[in-house]
Amino acid sequence: MTATTDRRGELLRIAATLFAEKGFKNTTVRDIAEAAGILSGSLYHHFDSKESMVDEILSTFRAQLFAAYGDVLASDDDARAKLERVVRLSFEAIDQHPAEVAIFQNDADHPGSFERFGYLAERGVQSRDIWLSLLNEGVETGALRPDLDVHLVYRFIRDTVWVAVRWYRPGGDLSHGDVADQYLSILLEGIASSAD
Amino acid sequence: MTATTDRRGELLRIAATLFAEKGFKNTTVRDIAEAAGILSGSLYHHFDSKESMVDEILSTFRAQLFAAYGDVLASDDDARAKLERVVRLSFEAIDQHPAEVAIFQNDADHPGSFERFGYLAERGVQSRDIWLSLLNEGVETGALRPDLDVHLVYRFIRDTVWVAVRWYRPGGDLSHGDVADQYLSILLEGIASSAD
DNA sequence: GTCTATAGCATGATAGAC
DNA sequence: GTCTATCATGCTATAGAC
């Protein structure tokens, strides 16, 4: 890592925080420059455009995340254990990369606004297939209830996990492991008392 | 309802759809006018500003929603029945006012971007109190598991219910009642098989 | 690597004719 | 109630000095 690379990374970190807080469109190039202590024109020495910045932020994060998913899937755990690990991995990602997750949630989802991020949709499909295969395997092996619509279960899990980025604060009272524990307990066992 | 009022409502409906699809900031006054078949300047005969449009859209919806909540809370159902009714009510709101819910989810949440919507935060607190009192009552009466963090359960329920606006499509294969059934089943009983 | 200066464009909003 | 025309502003991005 040269000094140039470090500066790039620092600027991307600053931009990511602002994008996460205010949204991509709502964050101006001048905002980013001001937060970095330079003027807007100077940013273009490091990056081609505002879009190339968010592009680099998201693609870097996405690559890390899917590499981690790959490790879990390649293991020989059973479906339920894999499912738990993927959930824990996701809360860990929220803990360690909250800005990136927030940008995904807030900006990369809008149908019209991010046509150029088609590769994100592809990865979304890939992610869905991972979850669906785990859920189906869980049903087949008898670990999960057979009477539920797995597609619906998938959407509930996906949304609930990622949307936690809206309220989870790294370094707060709850660790990402605590949140994952409680979440998995609710998801797997439900909130009704077992005596009910 | 005069013709003037109808025209207002029609324009607001058009604007709400665009705000929901592309986001508030991403939707231009010219976009709204074009979708309505008029020119941008003409919109200002009906509304003071773009913000006043989204203001009216959200406050109208919010009033309807909280009125419906009020009916449930005023009933003499027990906590679990009320909880189920509030969940069903929320999915019904997504079915009948998807644009409004989407705007809430996508735009009214950003901390920095919507300072003028302070009243939404107040309502958010009110909504949280409703849920927390229901959950606490459920725990006290033995209907719900006592070992869970109710604040976390609240956030889990709130997020999962409302985020469904991202994929639920009115008139599709699943009715809002179907979704509510499955969701409540997952939430209350969990996805693990009971033999597990 | 940052600054000065500015081009070029899109935006929210206004005034007055019809 | 809509259109024509336009203003003022803020935006992304560029060019060249330092």
Side-chain angles (χ1 to χ4, degrees), chain B residues 118-158:
Chain B
Y119 65 88
L120 295 180
E122 289 168 34
R123 285 291 185 163
V125 169
Q126 195 175 333
S127 170
R128 190 194 61 189
D129 291 344
I130 290 172
W131 281 101
L132 286 179
S133 70
L134 287 180
L135 291 171
N136 279 322
E137 189 185 332
V139 170
E140 281 159 20
T141 60
L144 302 181
R145 289 168 58 184
D147 61 319
L148 294 172
D149 178 341
V150 287
H151 287 85
L152 214 126
V153 173
Y154 153 67
R155 285 185 288 221
F156 171 62
I157 297 178
R158 174 199 62 185

Side-chain angles (χ1 to χ4, degrees), chain B residues 25-188:
Chain B
K25 185 84 176 196
N26 251 324
T27 303
T28 70
V29 173
R30 287 173 176 82
D31 288 337
I32 302 168
E34 189 187 18
I38 59 178
L39 290 187
S40 64
S42 308
L43 273 179
Y44 290 85
H45 174 72
H46 303 276
F47 306 98
D48 283 347
S49 67
K50 186 176 134 181
E51 285 221 331
S52 77
M53 297 186 78
V54 73
D55 226 341
E56 191 167 334
I57 291 165
L58 292 185
S59 61
T60 302
F61 168 67
R62 182 208 62 184
Q64 290 175 352
L65 183 66
F66 275 83
Y69 279 162
D71 287 347
V72 173
L73 295 173
S75 76
D76 47 6
D77 290 340
D78 64 18
R80 171 154 170 174
K82 281 182 183 166
L83 197 146
E84 292 196 20
R85 286 180 63 188
V86 174
V87 167
R88 290 183 191 284
L89 210 69
S90 302
F91 284 116
E92 195 182 344
I94 292 173
D95 182 72
Q96 288 169 11
H97 302 283
E100 288 82 348
V101 174
I103 297 168
F104 259 103
Q105 285 292 299
N106 298 331
D107 287 305
D109 235 20
H110 280 215
S113 81
F114 266 77
E115 291 90 353
R116 76 176 304 227
F117 293 145
Y119 65 88
L120 295 180
E122 289 168 34
R123 285 291 185 163
V125 169
Q126 195 175 333
S127 170
R128 190 194 61 189
D129 291 344
I130 290 172
W131 281 101
L132 286 179
S133 70
L134 287 180
L135 291 171
N136 279 322
E137 189 185 332
V139 170
E140 281 159 20
T141 60
L144 302 181
R145 289 168 58 184
D147 61 319
L148 294 172
D149 178 341
V150 287
H151 287 85
L152 214 126
V153 173
Y154 153 67
R155 285 185 288 221
F156 171 62
I157 297 178
R158 174 199 62 185
D159 290 343
T160 319
V161 165
W162 290 121
V163 86
V165 75
R166 295 198 174 191
W167 54 262
Y168 178 80
R169 292 294 165 260
D173 284 350
L174 293 165
S175 73
H176 63 88
D178 294 336
V179 176
D181 286 343
Q182 293 242 357
Y183 174 70
L184 284 167
S185 178
I186 297 170
L187 177 68
L188 291 165

Side-chain angles (χ1 to χ4, degrees), chain A residues 28-30 44 49-50:
Chain A
T28 70
V29 174
R30 292 193 240 271
Y44 290 86
S49 68
K50 187 176 134 181

Side-chain angles (χ1 to χ4, degrees), chain A residues 139 144-149, chain B residues 191 193:
Chain A
V139 171
L144 302 182
R145 289 169 57 186
D147 62 320
L148 294 173
D149 177 341
Chain B
I191 67 170
S193 73

